[in-house]
Amino acid sequence: MPIQIRHSVIHGFTKEAGEPVAHVDKKDRLLDNTLPSVFSLVQGMVTLLGKKESSQVWGRFGNNGREGPFPGRFAGYIDDVSSVEGFLALSHLAVDEISRTAEAQQASTGGHILCATYDDDAGNTRVIVAMIKQRSGLQLDDNLVPINIVEIDMSKLHQAAQIRVGEFRQTIELQAEQHDDEGEEQADVTYLSFVAKRADRGSSAYFINALGCEVGVSSTKATTRLYKAVDAFFRENEELNPYLRNAKDALSAFLRQEADAQRLVTMDALQDVMDRVVRPEHAHLVREMTQTLNGDRFKVPDGFLVSETVLRKHTKVVLEGARLTLKFDRGMLGTDRNAELFFDEDNRALTIQNLSNEMMGRLQQTLNDG
């Protein structure tokens, strides 16, 4: 099912590198979403988000008093996302703020700003603000209406922010319920993603600042998300399920290597590791795995430092005795009677709980075999 565009508009501003903004062109009429060229452009921008060349950096709006007017205006807009006036006012503010911050960035140049509110194929409402450079294959008429869209390629998407309206609304509700300074941290909210051409990321801070974005999550959250994502990815695919244990071991080894070297975990490096986990006949099943991990469901950041605390929790512990060898994730062990591995120190006992059906079957078969 394709996306459903509610509102869309293109504004623009003129600026040469090292020069001030010469002109801002703000439109007061929406684009006609029934035009194939308009739909093609918006759909093309949305489709590019999260692809290998434009992996997403997750975050939220800032709240440190330096985030500017956009987050507050956005909070007001979502009260009625069907409002044309509200959408146009928000888009005007976006181009004003982007052109203003671009002026302070000497290397920045002008371009066109696509703003759109749309529903994705699952019916979730989202807002995208994207900087587009006019190149061959993308033509705009005098009213900034796209014409002759043949295809969208990465050369046309330089910076973009996508805001998930439902998740943003839930965050506001959670904060209202919690009434404390730690509410946002507890909620682990990442309703906003930012993308940029990799070659441009060093110079695109002005775009982030213009929209009041605060990108990035803590290393603890990022590392935790990665473990959960890899587990789900392999567990939920019948053909990949047999590789789950090897995948988690390879992940821990990789994270230990990156942590010791004090390097950022990147999706490219992680993909190389996961490619080596499976046999050649299953290689196609993990070929674009990191795009899924970086996407809407798991929101694993494009680059982050490893959390030693989380890594230790998932590091294997090996217990060896004359008649017994146990190997398990450190996080399974606990002194709580509900722990998967309940350590009863007083009785010198270790109880294994919540055995899988496969383990139960193998134990029963072993007993039957005598």
Side-chain angles (χ1 to χ4, degrees), residues 13 15 17 98 101-110 131 133 158-159 194-210:
F13 67 96
K15 180 184 182 299
I98 292 171
T101 55
E103 196 158 40
Q105 171 61 254
Q106 289 294 305
S108 66
T109 57
M131 168 76 81
K133 301 294 184 179
H158 281 243
Q159 289 94 250
F194 173 81
V195 299
K197 286 181 66 179
R198 290 186 175 180
D200 290 346
R201 287 187 180 172
S203 61
S204 60
Y206 76 91
F207 190 89
I208 300 174
N209 293 336

Side-chain angles (χ1 to χ4, degrees), residues 129-369:
V129 180
M131 168 76 81
I132 311 169
K133 301 294 184 179
Q134 191 165 338
R135 303 279 177 86
S136 58
L138 172 62
Q139 298 179 26
L140 304 175
D141 65 17
D142 292 340
N143 293 315
L144 300 187
V145 176
I147 55 177
N148 299 330
I149 299 295
V150 178
E151 65 178 274
I152 304 296
D153 61 48
M154 274 309 303
S155 68
K156 301 179 186 70
L157 177 59
H158 281 243
Q159 289 94 250
Q162 186 184 64
I163 312 159
R164 289 138 185 85
V165 172
E167 294 172 48
F168 176 76
R169 185 177 286 117
Q170 290 172 6
T171 300
I172 299 300
E173 292 171 353
L174 279 172
Q175 291 173 342
E177 291 173 2
Q178 290 167 343
H179 291 292
D180 60 55
D181 294 336
E182 297 178 354
E184 191 168 0
E185 186 69 18
Q186 293 169 358
D188 187 13
V189 290
T190 45
Y191 47 78
L192 182 151
S193 66
F194 173 81
V195 299
K197 286 181 66 179
R198 290 186 175 180
D200 290 346
R201 287 187 180 172
S203 61
S204 60
Y206 76 91
F207 190 89
I208 300 174
N209 293 336
L211 301 182
C213 306
E214 183 177 300
V215 298
V217 297
S218 69
S219 62
T220 299
K221 291 176 181 177
T223 311
T224 299
R225 289 182 193 177
L226 178 55
Y227 270 108
K228 289 181 178 179
V230 170
D231 182 89
F233 191 90
F234 282 86
R235 189 181 299 278
E236 294 172 2
N237 186 303
E238 186 174 345
E239 292 181 271
L240 291 178
N241 193 263
Y243 298 106
L244 176 59
R245 182 179 302 174
N246 289 340
K248 293 175 74 173
D249 288 346
L251 174 60
S252 291
F254 165 67
L255 293 181
R256 169 48 57 201
Q257 172 184 298
E258 301 306 276
D260 290 346
Q262 297 184 332
R263 285 193 297 260
L264 286 176
V265 174
T266 66
M267 292 296 101
D268 285 346
L270 177 63
Q271 185 67 62
D272 289 341
V273 172
M274 294 295 107
D275 286 341
R276 296 193 294 269
V277 168
V278 301
R279 292 192 293 271
E281 60 267 30
H282 292 132
H284 66 285
L285 297 175
V286 299
R287 188 161 294 132
E288 296 183 348
M289 174 180 173
T290 53
Q291 292 183 31
T292 301
L293 269 54
N294 182 235
D296 290 355
R297 178 182 176 188
F298 299 113
K299 299 179 182 176
V300 179
D302 177 47
F304 61 92
L305 291 171
V306 178
S307 165
E308 285 283 355
T309 301
V310 177
L311 179 56
R312 281 196 302 271
K313 179 180 177 181
H314 289 274
T315 299
K316 298 293 184 183
V317 176
V318 180
L319 301 178
E320 294 189 48
R323 302 175 59 192
L324 178 69
T325 299
L326 288 178
K327 184 178 181 181
F328 54 89
D329 289 345
R330 187 184 301 268
M332 298 173 64
L333 184 66
T335 56
D336 186 316
R337 290 187 176 275
N338 295 320
E340 289 183 82
L341 291 178
F342 167 49
F343 176 40
D344 185 353
E345 185 175 7
D346 293 338
N347 294 309
R348 301 178 67 85
L350 182 67
T351 303
I352 305 175
Q353 304 185 107
N354 301 321
L355 294 174
S356 67
N357 292 336
E358 180 185 0
M359 288 183 178
M360 291 292 293
R362 292 183 64 181
L363 289 171
Q364 291 166 349
Q365 185 63 47
T366 300
L367 286 173
N368 293 338
D369 291 344

Side-chain angles (χ1 to χ4, degrees), residues 89-104:
L90 184 71
S91 71
H92 288 170
L93 178 62
V95 72
D96 283 342
E97 289 298 295
I98 292 171
S99 61
R100 179 184 63 80
T101 55
E103 196 158 40

